[in-house]
Amino acid sequence: MMMMELRHLDAALLVLILGHLSSALEVPLDLLPGLPQPPTITHQSPKEYIMDPRENIIIHCDAKGKPHPSFSWTRNGTHFDVEQDPSVMMRPHSGTLVVDLSRARPENFEGVFQCTARNKYGSAVSNNIVVRQSKSPLWSKEKFKPIVVQEGVSLVLPCRPPAGLPPPIIFWMDNNFQKLPQSKRVSQSLNGDLYFSNVRREDSRNDYICYARFTHTQTIQQKQPITVKVLNLDAINDTMADYYNDTELLNEAPVDERKPTFLIPSGHSSAKMVLRGHVLEMECIAEGLPTPEVSWTKVSGDLPGRRASFLHFNKTLRIVNVSESDAGDYRCTARNQLGSAQHTISVTVKAAPYWISGPPKNLVLAPGESGVLTCRASGTPKPSIMWSRNGGPIENSPKDISRKVEDDTIIFTDVQADSSAVYQCNISNPYGYLLSNAFVNVLSEPPRVLTPANKLYQVIENRPALMDCSSFGSPIPKITWFKDSRASTLDGDPYILHDNGTLEIQVAQPQHKGKYTCVATNMLGIYENHVYLETKEPTRIIKQPDDKVVQRGRSVLFECRVKHDKDLLPSVIWLKDDEELPDDERFIVEFDSLSITDVSERDAGTYKCIVNTTLDHDLATAELTVVGRPDPPTDLELTDQKKRSVQLTWIPGEEHNSPIEEFVIQYEDSLHRRGHWHDLARVPGTKTTAHLKLSPHVYYTFRVLARNAVGLSEPSSPSRMYKTDPAAPDQNPKDVRGSGTEHNNLVITWQPLSGLQSNGPGLHYKVSWRPKRPGSDWTTVTVANNSRFTVSGTPTFSPYEIKVQAVNDHGDGPEPAVALGYSGEDLPVSAPTNVRATVVNSTLAELHWDPVPLHLIRGHVQGYKVYYWRRHNLHKHNPDHMEKRILTFSGNHSHGMLPGLHPFSHYSFNVRVFNKKGDGPRSTTQQFKTPEGEPGPPVSLSVTDPSLDSLTLAWSPPHEHNGHITGYDLKYQPVNNSNELGPEEELALAANETSVTLKNLKYSPRYRFYLNARTSAGAGPAFSLEHAVKLEEAVTSRQVDIATQGWFIGLMCAIALLILVLLIICFIQRNKGGKYPVKEKEDAHTDPEFQPMKDDDCTFVEYSDNEDHKPLKGSRTPSNGTVKRDDSDDSLVDYGEGGDGQFNEDGSFIGQYSGKSSSRDNAEGQESSGAPSPINAMNSLNSFV
């Protein structure tokens, strides 16, 4: 119930908002039922009412007002007494008339009806409603003679339907109720006649029937059938007697081609009038032979693009929603090959009255206020304006000093309560009229806000927010808005206050959410209302589905990922071609995706992902194209058959959404290789014919395959077999060669012809050869079933001319080409001479020789081989190398470069020529020496004995000296923790050095070293090393160095001896107990366990029996622990006795001083449990010094 009331309230608010926007105020009777209001017509029948005699007449007239108005009617200007006619009734609480035509005659109720609604505050009237009876008269009975026309003439078949109300729809059909085909040559005119620009033999028929459909009565009537016979001139002469008495013969003269002339409209020009807002239809139908084509232009401008269309094969120009700009001259042109014809139509646009700024608006005024009723309209010709008050002429109404009529405006000033009335504005010209009611209602009402209290508005961020403040009051209340604390009114950016009180935020942002208050104020009071605004994040598809091209049978996935506000629950809908998805388990819908398995062609289309929330939505589309391999071609046909060619045609199969790129034509040779298909030709996918070149003596069967981007189709069905006649060979064997396998033979080989190339049975070859010298004769043999022939007893490596000709039972092939061959080769019999070497540098030498004469090579020159070896290195530290190497120079060369040599070496070499048979004798052996070169890098580089300020580098000499080593270059530089390099230091070292100690180094965590050797040729590549210096390593090294020095050992021995002497003296003094009264000492010290030793005389106080467990005053303690006096009594030889003492790998001591008695450990507790570090141990030793 509450929901229905809210909907009712929202509908009323919408009416009220629209009223505010147009500066008018409507009394909300449904919300404020106690307010008075003059009548207002809310529903009425159209001005033209066509009644159907089969149904009751219903003439609508509904109105509202307070009190509810009463109704009355006039018919043809006089009062229509509803109660006097039993067939007429008026609906309760309404003015709607209902006429029961079962009890009355329809024609008795034709006329002009007008309704009046009145209450105590005024009267409103309806339009003049013209009631007419629909009519569908019968066609007059008439019999048509058959029409006989000569082929090529024009023809018009009249329809002339009976006049109906409303006019009928015309169409032509045959006896089978099939529409007659229409074209540029045959078409129907606007009046229903059927026009033939020229007739043809196929136009002959006896059932040209014109039908008229009357829409209001839903009836169809037909004209009598018309018979048309189209004959040529000879046929007309032969049948003249048969048709003379009962036919209508048109145009007996012969018909030639002719230029166009217009059948409709006639003449060169015509005129047409159309009303503004109506539809303009102009037609031009021309006759001619050949059939003319019609085009349209506007003489004084352009045709209205979107409102203009061409119908009936361009013969009709249709312009909808006509405006004054459509007036002017229009030209239609009919044209064929023989000429053209033109017709100009002058169009005039008239206009029935129409509102300029809408009908006058109701006025709700407070006493003493002013207002204006405006009735502003236009038309062609200019309409006249007549004002009425409460249905009667305003001139006859009581005089009202607050009212002043000025043409299309009534001005009200200082209105009073009795000024309430309904005013009628009637605007008319010859083409129509406008009638509008507007009331003046004088009220005094305090403001009221009609928008529900505490209403919540939810909007999407960055979109407009509209918060309503619908109000009522008289005078009209002023609306102001506040937000939250009501510090100031909301006007200006970003807020827009509309005339109807609505507050708009054009681009809502999160900071705009909160509580808003609208306040309505007039002179009679104030009223406020609260609403709330929330902003939400927009719903967006962040991953849209992509267009897909998928092969049949595969799967496809469309993604549709969504981002939305957390408080909005989206729903995702998938559509295919704007309809629901098929009910098919292959379609799997997830929240953010759609997948389709086993895709078929019917799945192709447009898929749309729609995401909806209660506030917004988003959508995305993707196209699915399903492709597949094409279907095989069909209907293979062989035409244009000749001895060596044939034409093949076919019909392509279905492409399956992927255009055919090419057709592959294959053949099977049933005579030579049955069951094997071979490619014969390829043609573009746009062609369906191929001219095929054929070979003789082949039994051809063809098939065609189609290829598109997906793949190759299945083969078509084979064509019928096509046999070609045998013939002599067209070609000879290719690749004819002559060469020897032995030094005294010549082997002739060739590529044999295939069965397809043989052109007939009995294929064999004529093999001919002769020495290549003047006057030599050809020797010929016949070879069958082979592609090789050997000629024996030939001289070594002699040139021969050879040829091979194909022959079959039908003749010889063409004259073969002559090839050049050579008999077998033998080893060369001579060596290169004048062999010499020129040293270029330490690794490269240039060799020269005189080539061997060609006749001594006894074969094709393949090249020269250089055999070379390193006899020994000139450096005494390197062993000799006797391994031989070979460098080959292909071709007939006389020199070459010998790279990759070792510097400072002695080389030997010789040169040999070789052919296909092998190497010839070697040349004399020559020698050369290479100079010194740059040495190789040192073999190794290492760091030894590192300390805080020094280290030692050791290395091994280079493996490749490449000369006499003259010294070494050492470069080094520190590297910090940021990999930044410090200053570089450089040292030059002697050749006999293999180590160096670097002293006075500044501490750095890493060092980088570069060491390279030098010869007289320069410095070689460097050996690089980066060494990290560990602090512990450096310190330990220093400790070990000190501990192993003789002076340090002697010092330690002296200190130990001195301590031993002092201990002996102290013990002697302590044993003299009579000198020290124990009782006094006990009285003077409460704790005998901690008695100090005197510093000045090294004497001790009196001790009790357990004095051996007391510490000795003045004993030194390490920085990280306490060295017990009892432990100190032991010599240094006792290190490690306690089991915890140990040494590092470098010999440094890492243990702790350990006692010998468990009682001592218990007496001292945990005080000395920690082990000192090596640094502290060293400091502890230093403290004894």
Side-chain angles (χ1 to χ4, degrees), residues 19-74:
H20 271 293
L21 287 173
S22 57
S23 301
L25 184 64
E26 192 76 36
V27 178
L29 296 179
D30 48 354
L31 300 180
L32 304 173
L35 295 178
Q37 177 177 305
T40 300
I41 300 292
T42 58
H43 183 213
Q44 57 183 319
S45 293
K47 295 178 181 179
E48 296 286 338
Y49 184 96
I50 300 176
M51 58 176 159
D52 186 347
R54 299 169 302 176
E55 298 179 355
N56 291 338
I57 301 174
I58 301 176
I59 309 175
H60 291 281
C61 181
D62 292 301
K64 67 177 182 178
K66 200 66 176 181
H68 191 74
S70 60
F71 298 89
S72 63
W73 285 88
T74 62

Side-chain angles (χ1 to χ4, degrees), residues 455-512:
K455 185 174 182 179
L456 175 63
Y457 292 91
Q458 293 181 327
V459 297
I460 298 297
E461 292 178 8
N462 300 317
R463 293 190 182 179
L466 294 170
M467 292 173 284
D468 297 330
C469 185
S470 301
S471 63
F472 179 80
S474 185
I476 297 175
K478 178 183 178 183
I479 304 299
T480 53
W481 282 87
F482 301 90
K483 184 177 186 295
D484 297 334
S485 63
R486 302 182 62 169
S488 61
T489 59
L490 302 180
D491 53 359
D493 190 50
Y495 302 101
I496 299 174
L497 181 59
H498 293 279
D499 293 339
N500 66 345
T502 297
L503 182 67
E504 179 182 0
I505 305 173
Q506 289 185 314
V507 183
Q509 299 293 332
Q511 63 266 26
H512 294 144

Side-chain angles (χ1 to χ4, degrees), residues 544-615:
Q544 297 189 357
D546 298 323
D547 292 342
K548 302 284 187 179
V549 178
V550 183
Q551 295 185 27
R552 285 180 297 178
R554 299 193 177 181
S555 299
V556 65
L557 175 68
F558 292 112
E559 291 186 278
C560 185
R561 290 206 293 269
V562 181
K563 180 182 180 182
H564 60 90
D565 190 277
K566 61 181 179 61
D567 296 329
L568 300 179
L569 296 179
S571 62
V572 179
I573 301 174
W574 286 90
L575 301 178
K576 178 183 181 293
D577 298 328
D578 292 327
E579 296 181 357
E580 292 185 1
L581 293 178
D583 186 12
D584 191 332
E585 61 182 8
R586 297 181 302 108
F587 289 77
I588 303 172
V589 177
E590 304 287 347
F591 178 75
D592 56 359
S593 66
L594 166 67
S595 60
I596 309 172
T597 60
D598 191 19
V599 172
S600 63
E601 288 184 341
R602 68 177 181 273
D603 300 328
T606 301
Y607 288 81
K608 183 179 295 183
C609 169
I610 304 176
V611 184
N612 291 311
T613 67
T614 55
L615 297 181

